[in-house]
Amino acid sequence: MATVAHLDFERAIAEVEEQIGNLRDMARERGLDVSSELRSLERKLHGLKQDTFRNLSPIERVQVARHPRRPYTLDYLQLAFTDFVELHGDRQFRDDASIVGGWARLEGESVMVIGQQKGRDMKENLNRNFGMPHPEGYRKALRLMKLAEKFKRPLVTLIDTPGAYPGIGAEERGQGEAIARNLREMAALTIPSVAVIIGEGGSGGALALGVADRVLMLENGIYSVISPEGCAAILWKSGNEREKAATAMKITAEDLKGLGVIDDIVPEPTGGAHSDWEETAGALRDALVRHLGELTPLPVEELRRRRWAKYMAMGEWRTAR
Amino acid sequence: MAWFRKPKTRLQATDRRDLPGDVWEKCPSCGEIIYREKLKENWNVCPECGHHMRLPATGYIGLLLDDGSFREYDRALRSGDPLGFTDLKPYRERLAAAERKSAHGEAVITGEGTMDGIPVCLGVMDFSFIGGSMGSVVGEKLARAGLRALEKRAPLLIVCASGGARMMEGIFSLMQMAKTSAVLAQLAEEGIPYVAILTDPTTGGVTASYAMLGDVNLAEPGALIGFAGPRVIEQTIKQELPEGFQTSEFLLEHGMLDQIVDRRRMKPDIVQLLRHMLGLPAPDEFALPSPAA
């Protein structure tokens, strides 16, 4: 495999997986019965996965969230939805491939799905810009949100980005304006919306798809105002302190649920989302169906009132004497 | 080898202008020595070359509002430490140090007043307070000012000056972008004017929320305005940035601003705009001579 197939702390898991593979091959070639050895190895594998993934540190979660085999937006569109029709372009400048979107069905019901899309290899990443959108990507997203609103269909966003792209063209075309406009428009949408952080929730570039009635996170997703590397470089004045930064910023799903910033956590299989795409997609679909099921019956004004109240309550302050 | 050589004489600074700092100030742009009182009268704009030096937050209140009309909101709101955050120093210590140095306890002052008699709600950011960074209190004070503007149906003005998010409040600082933008969505729906005034510097999360959402976006000349900071961009693209990149003039040229406004004309220019948006008659200086006069 050209890309990194496993993370450092997954090495033991990878070794057992390899042993199982070898044993199977050997059994097939020689017609041997190895079922009891296989069973014991599989038990060992399961135990290893549990031990490894049960207590991931925040910086390990960052690695899992960025895992090169983790499912991306288009994978979920194949596995958790049906009948996907991709829609392209912002109608102003160009089509930004780092954001994909279009109509899809969730258990038969039409919804608008929009998400950042990373590339699986270098060639695709050049096209997808590593999931870092330009303003035209956010403007395409807004166009599709407005389309959903026009036809009164719910909105689902899947968030997976290191951040909005910092470049000359992005600044020239108003990266700040594009993000800001999405925040304002999403706050006022007259349709139900669920945002899910499926991998990396990188700052304003993530939030630009993330103002929603319900915000969910996959178990090993991360969501932060700046990358741990960036935070370490600025506050610790050393890029090597990313572990401390990752812990201090409280970026895991569990932390953010505790802080009231997200509403629900979507469970991942024991070895992480990358170990079983189908199971992860199934859990995502269940969560979306449940949350949209709660939101859809609400009258529009009630939906918007609750959304506003939720964001107005964000933050912590005190009154000085 | 060269057979003649230019004698190396060290250049002498012939006009070093070391000055007692309390009386005179040197313009960082043209080098002119300015009597400090004169600079103050000129709202920290160099009388010689028009360079806009930073004006403290309280300066903008005097600049924009009618004398004695300002009434401050939420003066006592202070940041909590929602994450219990410590980097090289605990956030609490950083806050305490910033509060001691500052007259207003956070990176924004909010309140209401009048501009040529027009009631307005106003927020002014203070770059000297932890780089004008946006944490929970900045978001909350601005959101409350917005809600009061909604209640009074008075225009909202925000003078922006910020390095971006307050990292020490983590995700809560990010959420202030959503919160302030949500309030601005309500103002927009109610047809209440919002004027964003961008000063040096306006970057990061503030640019990606209320700084860019004005019905009118104004900026002072020569201000640094951008989403990503210039250093981040240089490191990402591995090339030098063009001259004048991310200045007010650059943003105007690229369609992100309505106007660049000289600070000394800012009040009458904003009043003129507000009168248009509020459906009021023209201000005196633009009005037809009244027949009664």
Side-chain angles (χ1 to χ4, degrees):
Chain A
M1 225 184 197
T3 50
V4 182
H6 56 83
L7 305 171
D8 282 350
F9 59 83
E10 289 181 305
R11 185 157 297 149
I13 294 173
E15 277 167 13
V16 179
E17 276 174 345
E18 203 186 331
Q19 281 174 22
I20 293 176
N22 290 344
L23 193 63
R24 284 217 175 99
D25 289 349
M26 195 183 73
R28 204 178 318 112
E29 281 165 24
R30 306 198 190 156
L32 298 173
D33 177 21
V34 291
S35 53
S36 77
E37 287 90 338
L38 263 182
R39 251 199 312 280
S40 101
L41 273 177
E42 265 162 6
R43 220 176 301 124
K44 187 175 165 194
L45 179 66
H46 187 72
L48 261 177
K49 278 188 179 175
Q50 266 190 337
D51 289 348
T52 310
F53 280 83
R54 193 188 293 133
N55 291 308
L56 290 179
S57 71
I59 198 68
E60 287 170 338
R61 283 246 154 81
V62 172
Q63 291 171 270
V64 176
R66 295 174 182 165
H67 201 293
R69 283 191 294 153
R70 198 170 169 84
Y72 299 146
T73 294
L74 285 174
D75 304 315
Y76 289 117
L77 274 161
Q78 291 304 315
L79 296 168
F81 299 85
T82 55
D83 199 16
F84 172 54
V85 190
E86 185 169 357
L87 302 172
H88 291 274
D90 66 343
R91 299 293 187 272
Q92 296 178 56
F93 184 67
R94 64 161 197 157
D95 184 43
D96 184 344
S98 64
I99 289 190
V100 295
W103 296 113
R105 285 179 198 275
L106 186 66
E107 303 221 310
E109 291 287 325
S110 288
V111 295
M112 181 62 75
V113 184
I114 304 167
Q116 286 101 350
Q117 178 66 33
K118 293 178 176 177
R120 201 54 76 185
D121 53 31
M122 189 47 78
K123 189 172 164 235
E124 198 195 351
N125 257 325
L126 290 177
N127 181 36
R128 303 283 183 198
N129 201 33
F130 299 86
M132 292 187 281
H134 279 74
E136 47 273 22
Y138 294 115
R139 290 181 182 131
K140 167 166 76 174
L142 181 60
R143 183 176 77 81
L144 299 186
M145 292 173 200
K146 290 292 184 184
L147 197 60
E149 186 176 50
K150 177 174 178 180
F151 296 106
K152 300 187 173 60
R153 302 311 311 172
L155 172 68
V156 172
T157 60
L158 303 179
I159 294 167
D160 191 12
T161 180
Y165 187 66
I168 292 177
E171 295 289 322
E172 284 175 338
R173 297 192 291 279
Q175 189 72 287
E177 194 275 344
I179 295 171
R181 183 179 294 268
N182 281 18
L183 305 183
R184 187 182 68 191
E185 297 302 315
M186 288 188 90
L189 283 177
T190 56
I191 48 173
S193 54
V194 180
V196 190
I197 291 112
I198 56 170
E200 277 184 282
S203 196
L207 186 64
L209 299 185
V211 177
D213 295 315
R214 299 279 164 86
V215 180
L216 322 181
M217 272 176 87
L218 287 197
E219 194 181 334
N220 292 314
I222 54 163
Y223 194 12
S224 64
V225 68
I226 184 171
S227 70
E229 291 82 2
C231 180
I234 296 169
L235 293 183
W236 275 267
K237 322 227 180 286
S238 151
N240 299 329
E241 303 287 6
R242 63 185 205 134
E243 195 167 343
K244 284 185 189 159
T247 307
M249 282 200 295
K250 299 221 187 339
I251 62 177
T252 67
E254 207 180 337
D255 280 336
L256 296 171
K257 176 113 195 300
L259 293 171
V261 171
I262 64 159
D263 302 288
D264 202 358
I265 299 174
V266 181
E268 292 185 24
T270 312
H274 58 280
S275 73
D276 192 336
W277 289 15
E278 300 240 341
E279 190 184 327
T280 313
L284 175 66
R285 182 178 50 232
D286 291 349
L288 288 172
V289 167
R290 181 158 44 82
H291 284 284
L292 283 176
E294 288 167 20
L295 294 170
T296 316
L298 296 174
V300 171
E301 279 319 306
E302 176 63 12
L303 201 63
R304 297 201 329 155
R305 194 192 60 72
R306 288 190 193 185
R307 197 185 305 143
W308 276 327
K310 163 178 154 161
Y311 284 98
M312 287 307 290
M314 292 278 181
E316 195 181 292
W317 54 86
R318 61 194 170 83
T319 307
R321 270 161 295 167
Chain B
M1 212 178 126
W3 50 272
F4 65 89
R5 191 172 288 173
K6 189 180 171 193
K8 272 189 185 161
T9 47
R10 211 172 271 275
L11 285 175
Q12 290 292 323
T14 50
D15 64 339
R16 280 198 58 178
R17 298 177 181 187
D18 280 337
L19 301 156
D22 47 348
V23 183
W24 302 92
E25 186 108 15
K26 183 175 157 182
C27 172
S29 179
C30 71
E32 181 70 15
I33 307 299
I34 314 155
Y35 186 45
R36 195 164 257 202
E37 279 303 305
K38 170 90 178 163
L39 188 62
K40 216 171 146 189
E41 275 169 32
N42 214 35
W43 304 104
N44 283 5
V45 176
C46 173
E48 209 52 40
C49 71
H51 178 73
H52 284 50
M53 297 174 219
R54 279 185 192 150
L55 183 67
T58 43
Y60 283 97
I61 294 169
L63 175 75
L64 294 174
L65 297 185
D66 299 338
D67 282 348
S69 72
F70 182 65
R71 200 169 67 79
E72 188 173 353
Y73 297 149
D74 305 309
R75 201 189 159 76
L77 277 197
R78 294 289 183 277
S79 290
D81 178 14
L83 307 184
F85 194 92
T86 297
D87 47 80
L88 297 176
K89 249 195 231 171
Y91 177 41
R92 276 175 198 283
E93 275 179 29
R94 286 186 195 274
L95 272 176
E99 275 175 37
R100 272 195 302 277
K101 275 197 294 179
S102 147
H104 11 273
E106 250 301 336
V108 71
I109 309 175
T110 55
E112 61 180 49
T114 57
M115 288 179 85
D116 278 4
I118 302 169
V120 297
C121 293
L122 175 73
V124 185
M125 299 193 72
D126 181 1
F127 189 72
S128 69
F129 194 101
I130 319 187
S133 55
M134 174 166 53
S136 299
V137 170
V138 169
E140 178 66 12
K141 282 174 104 171
L142 288 175
R144 288 190 193 181
L147 290 182
R148 285 180 175 118
L150 205 61
E151 203 178 280
K152 293 174 191 297
R153 302 196 65 84
L156 176 69
L157 278 66
I158 301 179
V159 180
C160 305
S162 173
R166 178 103 35 103
M167 278 173 286
M168 298 78 112
E169 292 189 27
I171 199 77
F172 286 118
S173 64
L174 188 68
M175 290 302 132
Q176 303 314 308
M177 293 166 62
K179 180 174 181 168
T180 50
S181 304
V183 173
L184 294 178
Q186 298 191 52
L187 287 180
E189 284 186 3
E190 290 296 317
I192 294 163
Y194 164 52
V195 179
I197 302 144
L198 282 60
T199 72
D200 184 63
T202 298
T203 61
V206 169
T207 301
S209 57
Y210 50 86
M212 280 292 154
L213 291 176
D215 294 310
V216 184
N217 293 338
L218 306 176
E220 291 188 343
L224 169 73
I225 304 166
F227 169 65
R231 259 183 311 163
V232 174
I233 299 175
E234 268 179 343
Q235 282 162 12
T236 307
I237 64 174
K238 312 244 184 315
Q239 65 189 68
E240 262 181 56
L241 298 174
E243 180 81 19
F245 182 65
Q246 295 186 313
T247 57
S248 309
E249 294 71 18
F250 173 93
L251 267 87
L252 180 72
E253 190 190 325
H254 286 90
M256 297 300 143
L257 299 175
D258 290 282
Q259 276 191 16
I260 294 175
V261 178
D262 188 304
R263 193 181 288 155
R264 294 163 292 186
R265 289 238 8 123
M266 191 181 277
K267 181 174 181 180
D269 284 359
I270 293 176
V271 167
Q272 184 188 14
L273 285 164
L274 288 179
R275 286 183 163 272
H276 276 295
M277 293 190 281
L278 293 168
L280 296 171
D284 291 344
E285 64 175 304
F286 301 107
L288 295 169
S290 131

